[in-house]
Amino acid sequence: MPQKPKILNRRIVAQSRLFRVEEVDLEFANGARRTFERVPGGVDSVMIVPMLDAETVLLIREYGAGSDRYELGLPKGVVEAGEDPLDAANREIQEEIGYGARDLRMIKRVSLVPGYIEHHSLIVLARDLYAKRLPGDEPEPIEVVPWSLKNVDDLLARADFDEARSVAALLVAMRVLRTRS
């Protein structure tokens, strides 16, 4: 494994309510020096694959400000300070789809754009759902869309189902579900 670059200097170059951008001056083992920008210190988030039954996943449709359109994807949210990730996953599905889960299992940890962002999403498989709604912080009601895994190819072909975390989470969950059947 290569030797990690030496950090020569760090400085904040931009900051907003949501993001902080840091410049990092690095020296690589071969002597090459570069300055990179990154978003440091992101808190983990959860991406939940809620299974209504053995064949039906519950998706959500909500507005994405980054893409300026309504997106179809999986429920997700931030793990609050001091919160257990599985508790965060259960809270998020209660807020977003109106269900809790008796069976929650973390199945994968994925990074997002690791060249620029220090952040991980924890993929959680949620089964044995029960009706329970908590108030959320969304500006409008979220549409819940049941989808049969038998039609996963149709889902993957949709233009509005293209968020990489949702695609990855669904495929990882399907693999886990297949090996447990």
Side-chain angles (χ1 to χ4, degrees):
M1 176 171 256
Q3 180 181 343
K4 282 176 53 175
K6 180 180 174 184
I7 298 173
L8 303 174
N9 190 27
R10 294 176 189 216
R11 63 201 155 278
I12 301 298
V13 294
Q15 190 162 344
S16 74
R17 185 175 51 85
L18 296 177
F19 301 104
R20 192 175 72 216
V21 179
E22 176 183 75
E23 273 188 348
V24 182
D25 298 324
L26 301 173
E27 182 176 353
F28 289 81
N30 65 1
R33 290 184 176 206
R34 297 290 187 277
T35 298
F36 286 86
E37 288 185 358
R38 68 185 212 119
V39 177
V43 297
D44 284 344
S45 64
V46 287
M47 169 77 56
I48 307 100
V49 183
M51 298 300 300
L52 184 61
D53 56 43
E55 287 294 325
T56 309
V57 63
L58 296 178
L59 303 172
I60 61 172
R61 186 184 327 275
E62 65 181 335
Y63 179 74
S67 63
D68 188 29
R69 67 179 188 173
Y70 282 87
E71 301 278 347
L72 192 60
L74 292 166
K76 60 199 157 299
V78 172
V79 177
E80 301 294 337
E83 187 177 32
D84 177 84
L86 295 179
D87 291 339
N90 209 26
R91 174 183 48 77
E92 287 294 340
I93 60 174
Q94 289 174 43
E95 292 173 0
E96 295 187 5
I97 64 169
Y99 285 91
R102 291 181 191 90
D103 180 10
L104 292 155
R105 181 161 177 246
M106 194 174 324
I107 57 174
K108 184 79 176 158
R109 181 177 185 247
V110 295
S111 63
L112 305 173
V113 198
Y116 298 101
I117 300 173
E118 181 185 10
H119 176 82
H120 289 92
S121 280
L122 310 170
I123 300 172
V124 176
L125 180 61
R127 293 185 289 188
D128 195 8
L129 302 183
Y130 57 92
K132 183 172 181 189
R133 176 157 307 275
L134 289 176
D137 59 0
E138 290 77 16
E140 63 183 359
I142 294 175
E143 179 186 356
V144 178
V145 180
W147 198 279
S148 172
L149 294 181
K150 292 176 183 175
N151 299 322
V152 72
D153 289 338
D154 293 337
L155 178 61
L156 292 171
R158 291 178 63 104
D160 62 348
F161 184 77
D162 67 348
E163 181 195 13
R165 291 184 303 166
S166 286
V167 172
L170 183 62
L171 295 177
V172 169
M174 288 179 65
R175 185 173 186 189
V176 168
L177 291 167
R178 226 183 4 257
T179 60
R180 299 201 156 195
S181 298

